[in-house]
Amino acid sequence: MTNPWSQTPDGLLLTVRVTPKASRTAITGTTLLPDGRTALSIRLAAPPVDGAANTELTTFLAKALGVPKSAITLASGQTARLKTLRIEGPAEAVAERLCGALER
């Protein structure tokens, strides 16, 4: 299975599939998408109302990856369950932290 991220010159592009209104916020693993790509599966406690889920997603990932919230931007999927996030910073270090988060 491929990684749900790809390296860019200034960081990573991360594909995530979110499930809002969960009992708690957590990374639940990876999922294979119909087009053959892989996405990081994340459950969010926040509802998908007024951007609350997107805010919780960026806050949660920033803490999990040890990067500032300002380093994570939503590249696509503002209102969809499938989102692409741009994470600025040293790509290899962020990728290692993602691997560590998946192993938990």
Side-chain angles (χ1 to χ4, degrees):
M1 188 179 289
T2 61
N3 288 328
W5 63 82
S6 60
Q7 291 191 5
T8 65
D10 58 348
L12 294 178
L13 283 178
L14 175 65
T15 303
V16 297
R17 185 179 187 288
V18 298
T19 303
K21 294 182 8 182
S23 60
R24 65 184 181 94
T25 299
I27 295 173
T28 58
T30 59
T31 187
L32 187 62
L33 301 175
D35 64 4
R37 295 182 301 151
T38 303
L40 184 68
S41 296
I42 299 180
R43 292 184 182 179
L44 299 172
V49 179
D50 297 329
N54 290 337
T55 300
E56 182 161 339
L57 175 64
T58 54
T59 301
F60 172 73
L61 280 176
K63 185 176 180 184
L65 301 176
V67 298
K69 284 190 282 188
S70 61
I72 300 177
T73 55
L74 192 58
S76 67
Q78 185 74 25
T79 59
R81 285 180 182 247
L82 192 62
K83 302 175 183 299
T84 302
L85 300 169
R86 183 178 317 280
I87 304 171
E88 295 178 18
E92 290 188 17
V94 174
E96 283 181 28
R97 290 187 201 118
L98 276 167
C99 287
L102 281 170
E103 292 173 359
R104 290 185 205 150

